Amino acid sequence: TREDVASWDFEEIPAQVRSEGGLAAFPALVDLGETVALRVFERSDEARAAHRQGVVRLLRNALASEAKQARRRLPIANPLSLKYTPLGSIDSLREDLVEGGFADLLARHELDARSAGDFEKLRTQLSRELFGAAVERLKLAEPIIEAQADLKPWLQPPLMGFARASYDDLHEQFDALLTPGCLRELSPERLAHYPRYLKGMRLRAERLRQDPAKDQQRMLQVMPYWRAYLQHRAAGVDAQVLAELRWLIEEWRVSLFAQELKTAEPVSAKRLAKALSTL
């Protein structure tokens, strides 16, 4: 066993060792935050999970200069920077895009490196791919940033107190979608739907000014599921367990408020109730 290892300096880490008495044990790297430890586990599944995170930590350390260069080189145009400013700093945007790209790469590779050669091969490959992965995240982010900027002026009511419940709901939806770090944490597949969600919100806001009563009628069809989702989240239910309900609600909003944009999957009150009943 070893502690506070900052870079890969192992010749090989065996997947399994045996004591003199014949007991099997499972060596694995353990992520300590900035360094790793080499420890021995009693269970192979726990060792595999820990080892993966330990390998990721050493990859982060080994690719620190490449990540810094990727953040600096990302081609974020000035107009896009200005539109993003209400959401956060451009430095944080650059970091989110590189981190998101790094996560995308990790999802494509086996991370059970056990030898110096395997780790170096993995490091070399990720080093070559990191900037491109960050650029792919930027391509996903651009239409999202544009769409939220187009939507923003429509989130203010034409008169003080006008359709207050509907505008409160729009603001709540906006904040729930564009959470800090969403461009880093969400999958590319999910982010690809965001421009449609935001465009749907704008269409709703435009129609809300013309017919607030109809908007409220539609909103009341969403509220039971949205409130139930928030209650489960507040109770500590895991986000992955809630994911189906979470994104079905967004599709339900599109179907009610901006039907012409079409939904990514079939959605109905019956399907939402079924998703809710499984929690």
Side-chain angles (χ1 to χ4, degrees):
T1 59
R2 291 175 57 189
E3 298 290 322
D4 293 323
V5 181
S7 61
W8 189 286
D9 63 358
F10 311 94
E11 205 45 55
E12 186 165 0
I13 300 172
Q16 180 177 325
V17 293
R18 286 192 176 273
S19 70
E20 290 181 3
L23 291 174
F26 306 94
L29 297 177
V30 177
D31 182 10
L32 300 179
E34 295 182 358
T35 60
V36 301
L38 176 60
R39 295 178 184 163
V40 180
F41 288 75
E42 293 182 3
R43 291 176 48 176
S44 60
D45 56 343
E46 291 179 355
R48 277 195 301 273
H51 189 72
R52 184 184 189 278
Q53 296 305 316
V55 171
V56 170
R57 172 56 55 196
L58 292 185
L59 284 170
R60 283 186 181 282
N61 292 353
L63 295 169
S65 63
E66 286 88 343
K68 183 178 180 179
Q69 187 179 30
R71 287 194 293 271
R72 190 172 63 247
R73 289 176 56 205
L74 272 175
I76 300 174
N78 281 336
L80 193 73
S81 297
L82 290 172
K83 290 176 179 177
Y84 183 79
T85 300
L87 300 177
S89 71
I90 299 308
D91 284 345
S92 70
L93 173 61
R94 290 180 179 277
E95 185 172 345
D96 282 351
L97 296 175
V98 173
E99 284 292 323
F102 183 60
D104 296 339
L105 293 181
L106 294 177
R108 297 175 206 155
H109 291 284
E110 290 293 327
L111 298 170
D112 193 37
R114 293 263 168 189
S115 69
D118 286 346
F119 181 83
E120 181 55 26
K121 182 179 177 182
L122 190 57
R123 186 205 66 78
T124 300
Q125 195 163 3
L126 266 60
S127 173
R128 190 167 58 242
E129 297 172 349
L130 182 58
F131 179 67
V135 170
E136 289 303 310
R137 280 267 163 172
L138 175 58
K139 289 178 184 176
L140 286 168
E142 285 174 338
I144 296 171
I145 296 168
E146 297 280 358
Q148 67 84 29
D150 290 341
L151 168 63
K152 265 296 183 61
W154 290 93
L155 294 180
Q156 302 308 316
L159 299 168
M160 188 177 294
F162 179 85
R164 184 168 181 175
S166 292
Y167 280 99
D168 285 349
D169 181 49
L170 277 165
H171 280 281
E172 188 173 16
Q173 184 186 3
F174 184 91
D175 292 341
L177 282 171
L178 294 167
T179 55
C182 66
L183 295 175
R184 168 200 304 229
E185 294 161 4
L186 293 176
S187 69
E189 293 76 20
R190 180 52 53 197
L191 289 174
H193 294 295
Y194 262 51
R196 180 169 52 88
Y197 296 155
L198 294 165
K199 187 175 181 182
M201 290 178 68
R202 175 171 173 171
L203 288 171
R204 175 191 176 183
E206 290 174 6
R207 291 163 183 162
L208 169 57
R209 294 189 181 189
Q210 305 302 319
D211 194 342
K214 183 178 283 187
D215 184 274
Q216 185 174 42
Q217 183 183 29
R218 291 169 175 166
M219 181 180 69
L220 290 175
Q221 296 179 62
V222 177
M223 279 300 108
Y225 306 108
W226 179 241
R227 295 297 170 222
Y229 162 76
L230 292 177
Q231 285 168 6
H232 279 86
R233 191 181 68 178
V237 178
D238 186 81
Q240 289 186 333
V241 175
L242 289 171
E244 181 187 5
L245 177 63
R246 168 74 185 95
W247 301 115
L248 272 178
I249 291 170
E250 290 302 327
E251 297 297 339
W252 184 230
R253 288 182 184 275
V254 171
S255 74
L256 291 172
F257 295 108
Q259 196 171 17
E260 64 267 46
L261 297 182
K262 301 191 177 351
T263 59
E265 57 185 311
V267 63
S268 63
K270 184 177 179 181
R271 190 168 176 206
L272 280 160
K274 184 179 178 182
L276 189 54
S277 70
T278 63
L279 296 175

